Amino acid sequence: MIFKYNVFVALVVVLSIWANIEGRSVSKFLTEETVGTKWAVLVAGSNGWFNYRHQADVCHAYQILKKGGLKDENIIVFMYDDIANNPMNPRPGVIINNPHGQDVYKGVPKDYVGEDVNAENFFNVILANKSGITGGSGKVLNSGPNDHIFIYYTDHGGPGIISMPTGLVYANDLINVLKKKHASGTYSKLVFYLEACESGSMFDGLLPEGLNIYVTTASNPNESSWGTYCQMGAGGPCLVECPPPEFEGVCLGDLYSVAWMEDSEAEDRQTETLNDQYNTVATRTAANLTYGSHVMQYGDTVLSVDVLFQYMGAASVNHSHVSMNSESSSQNVDQRDVELFYLTSKYQDAPEGSDEHFETRVKLIKTIAERSKVDNSVKHIGDLLFGVEKGSEVLQHVRPAGQPLVDNWDCLKSYIETFEVHCGKLSSYGKKHIRGIANICNAGIESEQMASATAQACSS
């Protein structure tokens, strides 16, 4: 027994000496040797200038992973790519994610851009199904059983959905894809960070334990997430740091996203754990709940003891442009109000009597009217189906934590389609009403009743 103990001690000493000769600690050596290839999928699911922040978030995430040692062949990027060279961009060819203005666009792979940014390609990339890919680079998540995967998705969302430039990603479909990925035995551990309104609803009551998947979301299942580094017009209010004045009306980043990325740059990823980052990001994102949200965890939370290095790689700590003020970093804006914020800022700054002033006023009035119309249409549908006294109560009901949004996802998909046929496509603002449509399904309303009510409510 003593001999075995002495042999073990000798082996540890030899390992320690050898590892330190290589310039690495034993713990770092062990971490490196137990991780296979690091893979990442980065998704910005929106387009349009006023959605600047989503592509800025993804480009910044790419730079962090690239500096951390991940190879381009193992980083797959989805972004519409209509921001850097947008005519509205005051810095052509440049995207920034922080008021200090470092370019995060340079060098970012353009694997899937434009119409190739869609749910089918996203799912097929995760499943390494090259034959199912349309357009793009064809790069897929060709991971192996010892590999670690990091997925980061930033976009608009709603109860049970996250958006793409065209179409939606439904929670049940995403969970099924993750289950298939696990069943294929082609990863060791997977971390998923999601920025979107009601992002918790994509996993709450749906993601089982045992898949070796750890998730954090920007918000719980029934609240918005927030844009940050925003300024209302030239010289408008900012709580701490304003974006450069030429970016008036634009949010440079999203609050949860900026929080995890700036933390990743400020801390040592070889020692900071996923749980450490979760606590830091949750504190910053919820510091002012008038302009913030509750960051959530789902899945195998036991993985939160893993260090960030295992998924993001490691780089020298950079404090030069990192803003980690937990109170706030600028004016924050509800993601659903960002378009309104942009138009209001543009209208206020346009010269009185100018074409821009008039045209922006028309767009602003139209946007407000469309928001009011969808609110009234949904309320009218609820009144028709459940009565005036009960309609709003049924539509706004929030299920307890741990219970999925809807019992029948096919019903939800069908009724959203029915609504859009009669009432028009749901905007990023209108998608908040998906909870009401889910509750219509949960109440057992038949498809004929739904079609009749939506036709009647939206005919005027």
Side-chain angles (χ1 to χ4, degrees), residues 254-369:
D254 289 292
L255 184 56
Y256 158 89
S257 296
V258 162
W260 80 255
M261 286 187 279
E262 291 184 356
D263 177 69
S264 296
E265 291 173 316
E267 301 298 330
D268 184 350
R269 281 176 256 160
Q270 293 177 355
T271 58
E272 185 178 29
T273 65
L274 291 164
N275 189 63
D276 293 335
Q277 182 159 94
Y278 164 76
N279 287 325
T280 298
V281 173
T283 299
R284 180 173 174 181
T285 305
N288 183 344
L289 277 177
T290 305
Y291 304 102
S293 58
H294 299 86
V295 177
M296 304 297 289
Q297 299 181 96
Y298 299 99
D300 294 299
T301 54
V302 66
L303 299 186
S304 67
V305 299
D306 289 353
V307 292
L308 299 178
F309 165 80
Q310 296 182 51
Y311 305 91
M312 303 178 191
S316 57
V317 176
N318 182 2
H319 297 286
S320 62
H321 65 275
V322 174
S323 173
M324 291 301 297
N325 188 303
S326 64
E327 294 301 317
S328 183
S329 297
S330 68
Q331 183 168 350
N332 300 328
V333 178
D334 186 323
Q335 281 224 57
R336 288 212 171 87
D337 294 333
V338 167
E339 182 180 12
L340 207 59
F341 176 84
Y342 168 70
L343 290 172
T344 302
S345 176
K346 189 176 179 183
Y347 173 70
Q348 289 178 352
D349 284 354
E352 189 84 31
S354 67
D355 289 346
E356 183 183 12
H357 191 266
F358 174 76
E359 290 168 3
T360 306
R361 181 176 181 273
V362 170
K363 290 179 182 177
L364 188 55
I365 291 171
K366 181 182 178 184
T367 300
I368 293 171

Side-chain angles (χ1 to χ4, degrees), residues 45-89:
S46 69
N47 58 353
W49 175 249
F50 65 87
N51 286 318
Y52 182 104
R53 65 201 180 282
H54 296 139
Q55 292 180 52
D57 292 337
V58 157
C59 290
H60 190 179
Y62 166 79
Q63 301 297 345
I64 289 171
L65 300 177
K66 182 70 173 177
K67 290 176 183 175
L70 275 72
K71 299 175 181 178
D72 280 353
E73 64 194 64
N74 303 123
I75 305 174
I76 304 165
V77 179
F78 286 78
M79 65 176 183
Y80 205 84
D81 197 29
D82 62 341
I83 298 299
N85 296 302
N86 193 296
M88 299 291 293
N89 192 353

Side-chain angles (χ1 to χ4, degrees), residues 20-42:
N20 279 299
I21 288 174
E22 293 293 310
R24 297 175 290 179
S25 67
V26 173
S27 62
K28 182 181 175 186
F29 166 78
L30 291 172
T31 298
E32 289 176 346
E33 292 305 306
T34 54
V35 176
T37 301
K38 299 179 185 70
W39 291 82
V41 180
L42 310 176

Side-chain angles (χ1 to χ4, degrees), residues 385-436:
L385 292 173
F386 305 107
V388 175
E389 292 184 359
K390 288 286 187 180
S392 294
E393 179 184 341
V394 173
L395 296 184
Q396 295 170 15
H397 174 70
V398 177
R399 286 181 151 187
Q403 194 171 355
L405 172 75
V406 68
D407 298 323
N408 185 335
W409 287 91
D410 289 336
C411 174
L412 179 62
K413 294 171 187 178
S414 173
Y415 285 12
I416 288 174
E417 185 176 332
T418 298
F419 179 90
E420 292 189 332
V421 165
H422 295 287
C423 306
K425 194 169 182 62
L426 287 167
S427 65
S428 56
Y429 171 81
K431 285 168 185 169
K432 72 177 186 177
H433 291 297
I434 289 176
R435 181 178 306 281

